[in-house]
Amino acid sequence: MSGQRVKVTIPASTANLGPGFDALGMAFQLYSVVEMEVSERTTVELVGKELEGTPADKSNLLYQVAAGLFAEAGLAVPELAIRASSDAPLTRGLGSSAAAIVGALVAANQLAGEPFTREELFARATAMEGHPDNVGASMFGGIIVATMPEKAGEPVPYVRFAPPAGLQTLVVIPDFMLETQKARNVLPQVYSKEDVVYNVGHSSLLVAALAQGRLDLMGRAMSDRLHQPYRAKLVPGLNEILDKATEHGAVGAALSGAGPTILCFFSTAEEEGRLRAFVDSVMNGHGITYRVMILQPDENGVQVEIHQR
């Protein structure tokens, strides 16, 4: 295990894409970096404002995940020097915890001599995250369609495919955090048969439209009744954007993960200009400060560099 410094680059991700609750994910060209090596004592260096407030000791998620992997492999848990940076904001619905889990697993697996395959790491990441969509997108890139395994320890069933050519995303990031647990707590425990059938149809259509590049169907296919209507009260402006974005240049719109980030998909510069003006009017109308990113899909997934000491 000694003598190597591993650098892992992990794409951010979005999940659900509207109706695909806990089942659909897509990777973005927005990255976190985790560097890890065996050391005489454990240190955790966090770089950049996005990681401010994250613990810098052995309670850090990166160390906890790495230590768990060594133990699972039957190896002594070493002291680790960890350095991390992220361009993805925390608790905004862009898969920051999933990227951390994937990065720590892949880095520690490399240092441990690769006792686990990527699919096994994916299964471990899914068990830790509780759903496969974000971790799958960060691990493999592109668009991931996945579901939880029937039994613990089984492989995660998934399909990966490339995003439609030309698809871009206007990412609207409000200046407030929304904890995933809070966003989950507003969801009902029971749904009507009508709403379940509605989502099965729309998520199925969305997967087919994405797989065949049918951007003309995305707007209708991204409608959802399982989570977005309930989370709208936590995200000012969400209802207006979901209802009317396609009238202002979007091919589709969705809450990113549990929110509060909102995604507006488009494919041309003209659509982008109209969308920016529309989003600005909605967010200003609610008095919400925000920032915008234009993100392209990532098709590579997690990337590893090995530096010999």
Side-chain angles (χ1 to χ4, degrees):
M1 289 190 294
S2 61
Q4 282 189 346
R5 179 169 63 86
V6 179
K7 179 180 179 181
V8 178
T9 302
I10 317 102
S13 61
T14 186
N16 304 329
L17 298 177
F21 187 54
D22 281 0
L24 299 183
M26 184 170 75
F28 284 133
Q29 292 180 23
L30 181 70
Y31 299 100
S32 300
V33 176
V34 174
E35 297 176 73
M36 190 180 294
E37 63 184 316
V38 175
S39 182
E40 292 184 358
R41 66 183 182 90
T42 292
T43 58
V44 180
E45 181 186 358
L46 304 169
V47 180
K49 65 181 179 65
E50 300 295 0
L51 297 180
E52 286 177 1
T54 306
D57 55 24
K58 286 188 176 181
S59 68
N60 185 280
L61 177 63
L62 298 169
Y63 177 83
Q64 292 287 318
V65 171
L69 181 134
F70 284 107
E72 183 76 13
L75 300 170
V77 179
E79 301 292 321
L80 296 169
I82 299 171
R83 186 176 191 271
S85 63
S86 178
D87 292 330
L90 300 185
T91 60
R92 294 295 205 284
L94 288 169
S96 56
S97 66
I101 289 168
V102 168
L105 285 174
V106 170
N109 192 56
Q110 188 69 48
L111 290 177
E114 296 188 276
F116 301 108
T117 65
R118 278 290 164 89
E119 271 69 24
E120 288 170 332
L121 295 180
F122 177 34
R124 187 173 180 83
T126 296
M128 296 179 69
E129 185 75 348
H131 43 95
D133 38 14
N134 288 112
V135 291
S138 284
M139 184 75 77
F140 302 114
I143 293 173
I144 292 289
V145 187
T147 189
M148 295 292 286
E150 293 292 326
K151 299 176 183 177
E154 289 184 346
V156 178
Y158 76 97
V159 171
R160 179 215 176 273
F161 59 91
L167 185 67
Q168 300 182 72
T169 311
L170 186 140
V171 181
V172 183
I173 308 171
D175 286 335
F176 64 89
M177 294 183 177
L178 179 55
E179 293 182 6
T180 301
Q181 193 56 50
K182 182 178 180 181
R184 285 194 175 260
N185 287 343
V186 301
L187 302 183
Q189 293 298 309
V190 178
Y191 293 93
S192 70
K193 177 182 176 182
E194 182 185 21
D195 286 350
V196 171
V197 171
Y198 182 95
N199 265 61
V200 169
H202 282 74
S203 60
S204 301
L205 180 62
L206 178 58
V207 170
L210 289 168
Q212 294 195 357
R214 290 289 305 276
L215 300 186
D216 59 307
L217 291 175
M218 280 183 64
R220 280 174 289 171
M222 294 184 89
S223 295
D224 158 74
R225 291 185 182 176
L226 295 190
H227 70 107
Q228 292 179 158
Y230 302 98
R231 289 169 168 169
K233 62 185 178 184
L234 303 176
V235 186
L238 175 62
N239 271 336
E240 292 97 315
I241 292 176
L242 293 182
D243 289 346
K244 297 183 178 178
T246 54
E247 298 172 20
H248 296 84
V251 296
L255 185 66
S256 185
T261 293
I262 304 169
L263 309 177
C264 297
F265 297 95
F266 69 95
S267 60
T268 70
E270 187 269 340
E271 289 171 348
E272 179 190 338
R274 291 169 60 200
L275 270 175
R276 282 182 179 270
F278 167 64
V279 165
D280 196 55
S281 68
V282 171
M283 300 304 275
N284 286 341
H286 284 274
I288 301 295
T289 57
Y290 70 101
R291 53 179 161 145
V292 162
M293 293 181 178
I294 302 297
L295 295 181
Q296 319 294 328
D298 170 275
E299 295 197 43
N300 297 317
V302 64
Q303 300 292 297
V304 180
E305 299 174 38
I306 301 168
H307 303 276
Q308 298 295 335
R309 286 298 194 188

